Amino acid sequence: MRVIYNERMADLAHLLGEMAGLAGSAMDRATQALLQADLPLAEQVIGEGDRIAEMIADAEEKSFALLATQAPVAGDLRQVVSAIQIVNDVNRMGTLALHVAKVARRRHPNHALPEAVNGYFAEMGRIAVSMGQGAKEVLESRDPERAAQLNQDDEAMDDLHRHLFTLLMDRDWKYGVAPAVDVTLLGRYYERFADHAVEIGRRVIFLVTGELPPDTDTES
């Protein structure tokens, strides 16, 4: 039974890592679609949402099957519960990438972003993709030190988000209400993506050490 449990947990960890990698890849392409007003690329990201959804369902099924058939306790139970929570975070990351792609599609053939903020979103996209890859690595390696490093990237994302908000509040903003709304929503999508990657890191630290680091905001 122990061998079976370990094999199934390893399978689940691999699946979660693959999903996190796909979420990062989706955000990468969604960012390109946003910056370049690339409709085919946006449609590609949106179309692949079903694949992530199928993997989410598979991961949930595997997690609950472990609870039902293996009756884990102590450290084993901690691993399974953490995996269930991580499934939700990866799901949100994939959904946020889809939101970015949908904004790019909705505004096509126009650019959703004023040129003045392109640099902000190029950097936010870079950080988000890096954090998606980091989450994948952490899920596969279960390295608590690497998991803790995700916080540093999140701080950089938060700084960019604050600066972006300052730009929106400046009375010299000349691009109108609709672009301001898009920029506000998009900035939030990238910020939340990073927050969920950090939450994955927290959960990995918990399942390895049994100690949960201080909470981060992941209400959506």
Side-chain angles (χ1 to χ4, degrees):
M1 290 293 290
R2 187 68 193 176
V3 172
I4 294 174
Y5 171 81
N6 288 336
E7 288 177 349
R8 290 182 178 177
M9 277 304 304
D11 183 44
L12 179 57
H14 176 75
L15 178 59
L16 291 173
E18 185 179 359
M19 287 159 45
L22 285 174
S25 176
M27 183 58 91
D28 185 20
R29 285 174 288 132
T31 301
Q32 293 179 46
L34 181 69
L35 294 173
Q36 300 167 16
D38 188 330
L39 181 60
L41 191 56
E43 294 283 10
Q44 182 185 11
V45 174
I46 295 166
E48 291 179 357
D50 289 343
R51 180 185 176 194
I52 295 179
E54 289 173 0
M55 294 175 74
I56 291 293
D58 187 24
E60 288 177 337
E61 183 179 345
K62 290 179 184 297
S63 299
F64 288 112
L66 280 168
L67 279 178
T69 62
Q70 301 296 316
V73 296
D76 291 345
L77 179 61
R78 185 171 71 235
Q79 290 186 43
V80 177
V81 171
S82 295
I84 293 170
Q85 293 166 325
I86 288 168
V87 169
N88 178 64
D89 286 302
V90 175
N91 186 26
R92 289 301 305 152
M93 289 168 70
T95 299
L96 289 162
L98 291 181
H99 287 343
V100 173
K102 287 177 180 178
V103 172
R105 180 177 67 178
R106 184 169 68 247
R107 296 304 183 192
H108 188 269
N110 299 318
H111 285 76
L113 298 174
E115 187 174 352
V117 300
N118 278 350
Y120 286 89
F121 282 93
E123 182 62 9
M124 292 172 83
R126 185 195 67 77
I127 293 172
V129 172
S130 175
M131 293 186 74
Q133 180 61 33
K136 178 180 186 295
E137 294 170 1
V138 164
L139 286 166
E140 293 176 344
S141 69
R142 296 193 176 184
D143 181 349
E145 292 185 4
R146 178 68 181 93
Q149 290 174 5
L150 289 169
N151 257 322
Q152 298 175 9
D153 289 335
D154 186 48
E155 289 173 3
M157 181 72 84
D158 288 342
D159 284 343
L160 282 166
H161 188 250
R162 283 192 292 269
H163 289 166
L164 188 64
F165 190 74
T166 300
L167 185 64
L168 286 170
M169 294 297 101
D170 195 310
R171 59 183 174 181
D172 290 334
W173 177 264
K174 60 183 180 181
Y175 304 103
V177 174
V181 171
D182 282 341
V183 168
T184 300
L185 288 174
L186 287 163
R188 184 63 168 165
Y189 297 154
Y190 284 93
E191 183 200 30
R192 300 308 301 157
F193 186 97
D195 285 345
H196 284 287
V198 170
E199 187 66 10
I200 289 172
R202 289 179 71 244
R203 294 298 172 188
V204 169
I205 292 171
F206 175 64
L207 70 85
V208 172
T209 69
E211 297 180 1
L212 189 62
D215 197 6
T216 187
D217 176 24
T218 52
E219 81 271 5
S220 64

